[in-house]
């Protein structure tokens, strides 16, 4: 039974990759893909680095202009987005250009509030979070699958290599035998043993769904 589960999991890897690809290309809004949102951890790391840098080092000219206008008119800098919006709304530019920049800043904050409030250009926030959760779960399954193969390869390279070539690189048995310099009967014998070893590694672990 455990060996049947191992074969099933190995065969499911190709479908797992297809499901990840479909979710990654799920369009949220304006060309923004779900895979972009799932990189939030990397974005947070970047934000930490940016906070320690001068803004002119990473903002473009127009963004710097917005920042300078905000500094010129705001008397305080509240942390919440709604408080920030209220602060910007009450500012009136001394000239049309400044006022235009303040209104642009106001619109940017409103977009952030709209997105956090549950809607991004018609997509429900709950729907987006559900897809993010699905994608992260599939990525975890992919990572576990490859880690298991790496573990097998670590103590039995030929078994790990056979399974990797067939189920990750999707090569035909004849091509695998040629690459490894063995006959087909030997390949089939080793593959059977490799699957048995793989089954031992995943025993008791929930299979890929």
């Amino acid at each position: 039974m455990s060996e049947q589960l191992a074969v099933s999991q190995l065969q499911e890897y190709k479908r797992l990759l297809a499901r990840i690809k479909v979710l990654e290309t799920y369009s949220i809004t304006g060309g923004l893909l779900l895979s972009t949102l799932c990189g939030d951890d990397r974005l947070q790391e970047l934000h930490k680095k940016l906070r320690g840098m001068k803004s002119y080092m990473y903002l473009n000219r127009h963004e710097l202009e917005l920042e300078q206008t905000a500094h010129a008119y705001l008397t305080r800098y509240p942390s919440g987005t709604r408080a920030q919006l209220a602060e910007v709304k009450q500012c009136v530019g001394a000239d049309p250009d400044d006022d235009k920049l303040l209104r642009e800043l106001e619109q940017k904050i409103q977009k952030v509030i709209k997105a956090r409030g549950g809607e991004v250009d018609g997509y429900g926030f709950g729907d987006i979070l559900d897809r993010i959760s699905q994608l992260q779960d599939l990525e975890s399954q992919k990572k576990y699958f490859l880690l298991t193969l790496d573990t097998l390869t670590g103590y039995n390279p030929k078994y790990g290599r056979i399974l990797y070539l067939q189920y990750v690189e999707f090569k035909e048995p004849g091509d695998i035998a040629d690459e490894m310099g063995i006959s087909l009967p030997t390949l089939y014998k080793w593959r059977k043993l490799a699957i048995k070893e793989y089954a031992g590694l995943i025993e008791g672990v929930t299979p890929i769904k």
Side-chain angles (χ1 to χ4, degrees):
M1 181 64 181
S2 59
E3 290 179 32
Q4 291 178 349
L5 176 61
V7 172
S8 176
Q9 188 178 107
L10 288 162
Q11 291 175 339
E12 281 291 306
Y13 182 69
K14 190 171 186 178
R15 189 166 71 93
L16 175 67
L17 292 181
R19 290 168 65 196
I20 289 174
K21 185 174 182 180
V22 169
L23 279 171
E24 282 182 335
T25 55
Y26 177 79
S27 178
I28 305 299
T29 178
L32 180 66
L33 303 180
L34 190 67
S35 56
T36 307
L37 292 182
C38 288
D40 187 54
D41 289 341
R42 290 188 293 273
L43 288 176
Q44 289 182 6
E45 183 180 345
L46 175 61
H47 289 165
K48 288 179 183 178
K49 291 181 180 179
L50 293 180
R51 280 198 293 270
M53 298 167 58
K54 298 295 183 180
S55 57
Y56 69 82
M57 298 176 70
Y58 59 87
L59 296 181
N60 61 37
R61 182 178 298 179
H62 184 65
E63 290 167 339
L64 281 170
E65 196 174 3
L66 280 173
E67 181 189 53
Q68 291 165 358
T69 302
H71 287 326
Y73 287 92
L74 295 178
T75 56
R76 66 190 188 94
Y77 302 93
S79 57
T81 50
R82 293 185 184 279
Q84 291 169 0
L85 178 61
E87 193 74 13
V88 173
K89 270 188 172 182
Q90 67 182 9
C91 294
V92 179
D95 57 57
D97 288 339
D98 279 5
D99 200 59
K100 182 180 179 181
L101 289 171
L102 287 168
R103 302 292 70 83
E104 181 181 345
L105 186 58
E106 180 182 334
Q107 289 173 4
K108 286 181 179 294
I109 298 173
Q110 285 176 330
K111 285 183 179 180
V112 172
I113 292 173
K114 180 182 178 183
R116 289 180 178 176
E119 186 177 339
V120 181
D121 287 3
Y123 289 90
F125 197 43
D127 185 50
I128 293 171
L129 289 178
D130 181 59
R131 281 171 168 76
I132 288 176
S133 178
Q134 289 180 46
L135 181 55
Q136 290 175 336
D137 182 55
L138 292 173
E139 288 287 1
S140 294
Q141 292 181 43
K142 175 184 175 183
K143 183 177 180 180
Y144 167 76
F145 176 86
L146 294 176
L147 180 61
T148 305
L149 279 183
D150 283 344
T151 301
L152 175 58
T153 303
Y155 70 84
N156 198 314
K158 66 183 181 184
Y159 288 176
R161 185 61 179 161
I162 287 172
L163 297 185
Y164 188 88
L165 289 173
Q166 179 165 348
Y167 297 106
V168 177
E169 295 191 0
F170 313 116
K171 292 190 175 183
E172 296 296 325
D175 296 327
I176 298 173
D178 289 343
E179 184 170 328
M180 298 188 69
I182 57 177
S183 65
L184 274 174
T186 299
L187 171 67
Y188 294 139
K189 178 182 177 181
W190 286 2
R191 185 178 65 183
K192 184 177 181 179
L193 294 171
I195 290 172
K196 185 176 181 179
E197 288 290 337
Y198 184 91
L201 290 174
I202 66 169
E203 188 174 1
V205 178
T206 303
I208 294 174
K209 297 179 180 179

